[in-house]
């Protein structure tokens, strides 16, 4: 009888334990299910501890790898960047929804401690947020759109630099050479001319130091760099030389601003620095709407660093692609000969009468967009896209390469076909909505018009004078390129044969 009582008590005890375990398990599962229902996150690849999804993002081909991932996970993905959650957009319609329809929620930049360590964000044309950024951007855009007349016009300055670039090519006498440094010199000089009213000889030591800094900056901080994940590494010996170059460039730009303050004349606006000094002198407007003179250098830093790398790489891609598609180069040269000839320099109005040239320039930007990703935005409030919850502060990346190579918008997207941008009669160019090499929304690239002018005037100047070829002894170039901070071509050599 006692044994039965013990058995009954043991049975009751075990039953109670089972009920408790079942109840707790039920509550946990219910909580997880209801929580998932309440917070619907975008799909994404599984991640590893510490590194997240970085190991899956493709390194130097991150633009293509993440574009291909959208076939499995869709046009909006949840990714983990070394423990930091981010959202990646690869679909045109979703990008437009975020950056155009919901621009007030996705116009802020996502900034990091690393950026604060380097140069801070106040005064930045690319990374600052708030009303100060809006005013600074408007002032700089006004300067770029309406800058100067006569000899100081942007068109004349770019054409002057284009002639210098052509002379540099001519000095090679048809021998093989790498055009990278010369193209970077020319593009950087345009930025120097409009920013602080001065151009440099290509072998000027000060100018060389500026360009060496840009090269080092882009190389060492390319891709998911270690210092971006662990910002305090910036203060270690690993980055000592880059810190020194960064300090030298900041000091140089600050000194240029001080020199402009000493020689400023409201009746003789020479460059972008003078435009900001003039804006500060004008009556009216709040202090927030005027960029402090001590921060003018910060916007110049952005123009110089970003404008030099992106535009020079676009031109280099143009040169390389024309060597690989000689029939395209021949058609461009014939159109240039018919409309402009080989003597007078090209002008911006000529572009309207050069539809094939214009279409080819657009195809260069579509085929190999140098800005495959826009700098990351951040959700300014808790919001949603396509039913997925995006928490305030979440990084939002957009893969422009994915849009520009999407079969949904382009036939044979991996083929180089300038005619895709021509009207049926071939007399004008037509750009579809999916042509967004400069981004979209309030944060669209501030240098878009300048970059388009440089690409047209530089390449037209070169094609008037030269036929561009790859040396016979060199291997066929790799057209995939590699993604650092921008999409760059691998090193290559050309022969510039005088026409």
């Amino acid at each position: 009888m006692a044994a039965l009582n013990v058995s009954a008590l043991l049975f009751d005890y075990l039953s109670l334990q089972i009920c408790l375990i079942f109840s707790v398990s039920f509550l946990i599962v219910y909580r997880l299910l209801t929580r998932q229902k309440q917070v619907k996150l975008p799909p994404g690849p599984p991640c590893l501890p510490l590194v997240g999804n970085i190991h899956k993002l493709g390194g130097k081909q991150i633009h293509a790898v993440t574009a291909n991932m959208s076939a499995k996970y869709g046009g909006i993905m949840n990714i983990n960047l070394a423990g930091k959650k981010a959202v990646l957009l690869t679909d045109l319609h979703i990008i437009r929804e975020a950056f155009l329809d919901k621009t007030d929620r996705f116009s802020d930049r996502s900034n990091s401690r690393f950026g604060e360590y380097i140069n801070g964000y106040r005064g930045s044309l690319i990374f600052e947020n708030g009303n100060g950024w809006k005013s600074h951007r408007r002032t700089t855009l006004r300067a770029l759109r309406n800058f100067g007349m006569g000899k100081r016009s942007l068109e004349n300055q770019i054409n002057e630099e284009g002639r210098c670039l052509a002379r540099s090519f001519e000095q090679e006498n048809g021998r093989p050479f790498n055009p990278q440094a010369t193209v970077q010199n020319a593009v950087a000089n345009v930025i120097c001319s409009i920013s602080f009213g001065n151009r440099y000889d290509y072998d000027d030591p000060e100018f060389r130091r500026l360009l060496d800094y840009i090269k080092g900056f882009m190389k060492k901080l390319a891709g998911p760099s270690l210092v971006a994940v662990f910002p305090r590494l910036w203060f270690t010996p690993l980055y000592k030389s880059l810190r020194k170059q960064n300090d030298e460039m900041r000091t140089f730009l600050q000194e240029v601003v001080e020199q402009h303050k000493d020689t400023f004349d409201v009746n003789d606006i020479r460059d972008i620095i003078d435009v900001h000094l003039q804006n500060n002198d004008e009556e009216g407007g709040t202090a927030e709407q005027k960029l402090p003179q001590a921060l003018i250098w910060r916007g110049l830093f952005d123009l110089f660093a970003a404008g030099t790398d992106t535009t020079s790489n676009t031109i280099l891609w143009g040169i390389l692609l024309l060597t690989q598609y000689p029939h395209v180069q021949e058609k461009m040269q014939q159109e240039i000969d018919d409309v402009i000839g080989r003597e007078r320099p090209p002008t911006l109005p000529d572009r309207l009468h050069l539809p094939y040239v214009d279409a080819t320039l657009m195809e260069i930007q579509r085929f190999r967009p140098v800005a495959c990703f826009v700098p990351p935005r951040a959700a300014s409030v808790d919001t949603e896209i396509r039913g997925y919850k995006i928490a305030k502060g979440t990084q939002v990346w957009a893969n422009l390469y994915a849009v520009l190579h999407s079969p949904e918008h382009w036939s044979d997207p991996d083929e180089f076909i300038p005619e895709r941008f021509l009207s049926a009669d071939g007399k004008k160019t037509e750009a579809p909505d999916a042509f967004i090499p400069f981004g979209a929304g309030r944060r669209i690239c501030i240098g878009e018009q300048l970059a388009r002018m440089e690409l047209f005037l530089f390449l037209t100047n070169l094609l008037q004078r030269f036929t561009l070829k790859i040396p016979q002894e060199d291997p066929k170039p790799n057209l995939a390129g590699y993604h650092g901070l921008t999409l760059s071509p691998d090193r290559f050599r050309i022969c510039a044969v005088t026409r």
Side-chain angles (χ1 to χ4, degrees):
M1 190 74 177
L4 288 174
N5 288 336
V6 170
S7 297
L9 288 172
L10 182 60
F11 179 81
D12 289 341
Y13 176 75
L14 292 174
S15 298
L16 180 62
Q17 275 195 324
I18 290 170
C19 287
L20 285 172
I21 291 171
F22 177 82
S23 299
V24 171
S25 300
F26 176 81
L27 289 172
I28 291 173
V29 171
Y30 177 80
R31 175 64 176 167
L32 289 173
L33 289 175
T34 54
R35 183 179 179 183
Q36 179 68 16
K37 202 169 184 180
Q38 292 169 357
V39 183
K40 186 181 179 183
L41 298 176
C47 58
L48 295 177
L50 297 180
V51 299
N53 297 127
I54 286 179
H55 66 296
K56 285 183 172 285
L57 298 184
K60 293 182 178 181
Q61 296 298 315
I62 184 173
H63 54 292
V65 170
T66 52
N68 292 334
M69 286 168 62
S70 62
K72 181 175 182 179
Y73 299 106
I76 175 171
M77 288 180 276
N78 187 42
I79 57 175
N80 185 304
L81 302 175
K84 190 164 189 176
K85 290 183 179 180
V87 169
L88 175 64
L89 310 180
T90 59
D91 178 86
L92 172 65
H93 307 295
I94 300 177
I95 291 172
R96 291 177 65 86
E97 178 183 334
F99 294 168
L100 293 176
D101 301 340
K102 298 179 179 178
T103 187
D104 57 323
R105 306 176 206 178
F106 294 102
S107 285
D108 281 356
R109 284 288 187 222
S110 173
N111 292 330
S112 66
R113 183 66 58 86
F114 174 51
E116 290 285 358
Y117 287 161
I118 298 179
N119 284 314
Y121 294 119
R122 285 201 65 205
S124 171
L125 283 168
I126 299 175
F127 297 106
E128 189 179 17
N129 292 316
N131 291 330
W133 164 75
K134 293 176 184 177
S135 179
H136 184 192
R137 179 183 170 92
R138 280 195 301 269
T139 302
T140 304
L141 274 174
R142 187 174 73 245
L144 289 172
R145 286 171 179 165
N146 306 317
F147 186 77
M149 298 292 290
K151 291 183 179 180
R152 286 184 181 171
S153 71
L154 275 175
E155 181 180 318
N156 277 347
Q157 292 188 59
I158 297 170
N159 261 331
E160 177 187 351
E161 209 56 54
R163 289 190 289 273
C164 292
L165 178 63
R167 284 196 295 271
S168 180
F169 276 32
E170 193 172 30
Q171 289 170 3
E172 301 295 338
N173 293 317
R175 296 186 299 267
F177 71 101
N178 182 340
Q180 181 182 27
T182 313
V183 169
Q184 286 178 333
N185 291 341
V187 172
N189 250 337
V190 172
I191 301 292
C192 290
S193 296
I194 64 176
S195 296
F196 38 85
N198 191 25
R199 75 167 300 279
Y200 295 88
D201 291 334
Y202 291 170
D203 57 357
D204 182 283
E206 191 171 66
F207 187 55
R208 298 309 318 162
R209 282 198 300 273
L210 289 175
L211 289 181
D212 286 344
Y213 168 75
I214 296 298
K215 292 175 187 175
F217 187 87
M218 294 299 175
K219 182 178 180 180
K220 288 196 176 183
L221 303 184
S225 61
L226 194 62
V227 70
V229 179
F230 305 104
R232 288 199 172 273
L233 288 176
W234 178 250
F235 301 106
T236 68
L238 284 173
Y239 294 91
K240 182 178 179 180
S241 63
L242 197 58
R243 285 201 314 274
K244 182 175 182 293
Q245 287 178 310
N246 185 73
D247 292 343
E248 288 175 353
M249 185 168 183
R250 179 171 61 245
T251 300
F252 168 77
L253 293 174
Q254 289 171 335
E255 288 174 352
V256 172
V257 173
E258 288 299 316
Q259 292 166 8
H260 273 60
K261 287 165 61 177
D262 294 338
T263 58
F264 176 69
D265 181 354
V266 71
N267 296 312
D268 182 24
I269 302 302
R270 300 160 292 187
D271 45 47
I272 289 176
I273 295 177
D274 278 355
V275 170
H276 283 292
L277 293 174
Q278 180 187 38
N279 189 55
N280 283 342
D281 267 6
E282 290 175 349
E283 295 183 1
T286 64
E288 191 179 35
Q289 293 173 326
K290 297 183 177 184
L291 182 67
Q293 292 182 3
L295 290 176
I296 291 175
W297 72 271
R298 185 63 183 82
L300 299 180
F301 182 98
D302 287 353
L303 280 175
F304 195 88
T308 297
D309 187 66
T310 54
T311 304
S312 60
N313 275 327
T314 303
I315 294 169
L316 287 168
W317 274 119
I319 291 172
L320 179 58
L321 290 169
L322 292 180
T323 67
Q324 299 306 293
Y325 297 89
H327 67 285
V328 173
Q329 184 174 180
E330 290 170 10
K331 289 182 71 172
M332 291 178 73
Q333 289 173 324
Q334 186 60 58
E335 191 174 65
I336 291 168
D337 289 350
D338 292 344
V339 174
I340 304 174
R342 302 187 191 182
E343 300 302 323
R344 77 166 174 87
T347 65
L348 294 178
D350 287 330
R351 189 167 188 160
L352 296 174
H353 307 290
L354 298 167
Y356 190 81
V357 171
D358 197 23
T360 303
L361 301 182
M362 295 167 76
E363 179 67 346
I364 290 167
Q365 293 174 293
R366 184 206 69 83
F367 189 71
R368 288 297 177 262
V370 294
C372 293
F373 298 88
V374 297
R377 313 265 183 110
S380 56
V381 295
D382 290 343
T383 186
E384 68 175 51
I385 303 177
R386 298 296 170 96
Y388 295 113
K389 300 296 182 181
I390 311 297
K392 178 181 178 180
T394 300
Q395 282 190 6
V396 179
W397 293 79
N399 185 334
L400 304 184
Y401 177 91
V403 174
L404 295 167
H405 282 257
S406 170
E408 179 185 350
H409 306 293
W410 312 94
S411 60
D412 299 316
D414 294 324
E415 298 295 327
F416 186 75
I417 308 172
E419 288 80 4
R420 71 173 81 245
F421 288 103
L422 287 175
S423 60
D425 61 8
K427 294 182 178 180
K428 62 180 180 179
T429 54
E430 297 176 340
D433 289 342
F435 184 64
I436 53 170
F438 295 97
R442 290 179 187 170
R443 290 282 185 171
I444 193 169
C445 175
I446 194 171
E448 175 182 359
Q449 293 305 316
L450 176 60
R452 284 167 51 84
M453 290 168 62
E454 289 180 281
L455 183 60
F456 171 69
L457 293 174
F458 278 139
L459 284 182
T460 304
N461 266 291
L462 291 177
L463 292 178
Q464 279 183 308
R465 295 164 172 79
F466 308 105
T467 295
L468 307 171
K469 301 179 179 181
I470 294 294
Q472 289 184 351
E473 64 270 24
D474 286 7
K476 185 178 177 63
N478 172 21
L479 296 185
Y482 62 94
H483 196 281
L485 291 182
T486 56
L487 182 61
S488 307
D490 288 328
R491 290 174 61 86
F492 66 95
R493 299 195 305 167
I494 63 167
C495 295
V497 182
T498 303
R499 297 179 65 199

